């Protein structure tokens, strides 16, 4: 397994619109596996390829309640309802805010076998999927906040990052996992 460095707020790749995948090959399947490994190692529930420095339309989501979801060239076909809930982002550690999202979405995606399929998601899963698809369009959850709230959190971010260089966070496997086996 490979744990990939995560790009942090300020890294230009987070603002890129990721390019379509089209045919699923082994390179894409490897990327999906690395995204899951990196997300789980960093205790996340979603991770998009932009966040590991690859602007391609691939993301993964895994909430506690639901099976893992692979998103390849995902498109939201339907949205219903509105719900507000707290979000964070592995690319913006220690920053959290309430974000409005659709409560239910119908998503079309390509599977690891290269087939297009549709599924419905609600609540936290729907929220995580919308957050990850935003990443593929270069959009961060901060962009959904009021200008005032956004400025406040950007200031907090600069304080937290003071004295640290670069935009990469290196993930290591938690030591408890080694000691357990
Ligand atoms: Ni994120």
């Amino acid at each position: 397994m490979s744990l990939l460095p995560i790009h942090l707020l300020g890294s230009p790749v987070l603002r890129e619109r990721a390019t379509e995948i089209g045919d699923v090959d082994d390179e894409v399947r490897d990327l999906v596996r690395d995204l899951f490994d990196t997300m789980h190692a960093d205790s996340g529930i979603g991770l998009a390829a932009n966040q590991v420095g690859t602007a391609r339309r691939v993301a993964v989501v895994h909430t506690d309640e639901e099976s893992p979801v692979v998103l390849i060239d995902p498109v939201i076909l339907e949205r219903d309802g509105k719900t507000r809930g707290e979000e964070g982002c592995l690319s913006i550690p220690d920053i959290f805010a309430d974000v409005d999202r659709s409560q239910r979405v119908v998503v079309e995606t390509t599977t690891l076998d290269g087939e297009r399929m549709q599924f419905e998601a609600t609540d936290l899963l729907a929220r995580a999927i919308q957050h990850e698809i935003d990443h593929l369009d270069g959009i961060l959850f901060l962009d959904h906040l009021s200008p005032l709230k956004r400025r406040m959190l950007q200031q907090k971010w600069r304080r937290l990052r003071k004295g640290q260089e670069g935009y990469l966070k290196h993930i290591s496997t938690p030591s408890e996992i080694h000691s357990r086996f």
Side-chain angles (χ1 to χ4, degrees):
M1 86 178 205
S2 307
L3 299 183
L4 306 171
I6 293 182
H7 287 244
L8 299 175
L9 180 62
S11 176
V13 69
L14 294 178
R15 291 310 193 174
E16 277 179 44
R17 187 190 179 277
T19 57
E20 268 73 19
I21 293 291
D23 292 335
V24 175
D25 55 17
D26 284 345
E27 199 185 325
V28 172
R29 282 185 279 267
D30 286 350
L31 175 60
V32 167
R33 196 198 51 221
D34 291 345
L35 284 171
F36 273 119
D37 290 344
T38 303
M39 175 185 74
H40 288 138
D42 205 22
S43 305
I45 63 168
L47 188 63
N50 299 51
Q51 294 178 273
V52 296
T54 302
R56 304 186 71 192
R57 300 188 83 75
V58 180
V60 298
V61 173
H62 192 185
T63 63
D64 288 340
E65 296 83 21
E66 315 256 0
S67 313
V69 173
V70 175
L71 299 169
I72 299 172
D73 293 340
V75 179
I76 295 178
L77 300 176
E78 285 177 37
R79 317 173 158 268
D80 291 296
K82 190 162 256 191
T83 168
R84 176 167 291 198
E86 188 175 74
E87 293 187 22
C89 181
L90 295 182
S91 292
I92 321 173
D94 302 315
I95 301 288
F96 301 92
D98 285 344
V99 179
D100 290 328
R101 298 284 187 187
S102 301
Q103 187 268 333
R104 170 186 169 273
V105 290
V106 175
V107 182
E108 183 176 295
T109 185
T110 302
T111 66
L112 286 172
D113 298 322
E115 306 289 333
R116 292 298 279 176
M117 60 94 82
Q118 297 179 9
F119 66 97
E120 182 189 87
T122 58
D123 302 314
L124 181 61
L125 183 61
R127 173 175 298 282
I129 288 169
Q130 290 168 83
H131 178 118
E132 298 316 321
I133 292 178
D134 268 0
H135 272 300
L136 303 181
D137 291 321
I139 296 167
L140 302 173
F141 80 92
L142 297 177
D143 302 337
H144 292 286
L145 308 178
S146 71
L148 180 69
K149 181 80 184 165
R150 186 163 56 239
R151 268 201 304 279
M152 224 177 70
L153 291 176
Q154 282 165 338
Q155 282 168 11
K156 183 180 176 190
W157 173 253
R158 281 194 290 272
R159 271 202 311 278
L160 290 170
R161 291 291 299 163
K162 210 171 171 187
Q164 302 186 58
E165 297 208 356
Y167 297 119
L168 286 184
K169 177 173 67 170
H170 294 274
I171 310 301
S172 54
T173 309
S175 53
E176 308 88 80
I177 290 181
H178 294 303
S179 58
R180 238 191 299 149
F181 295 99

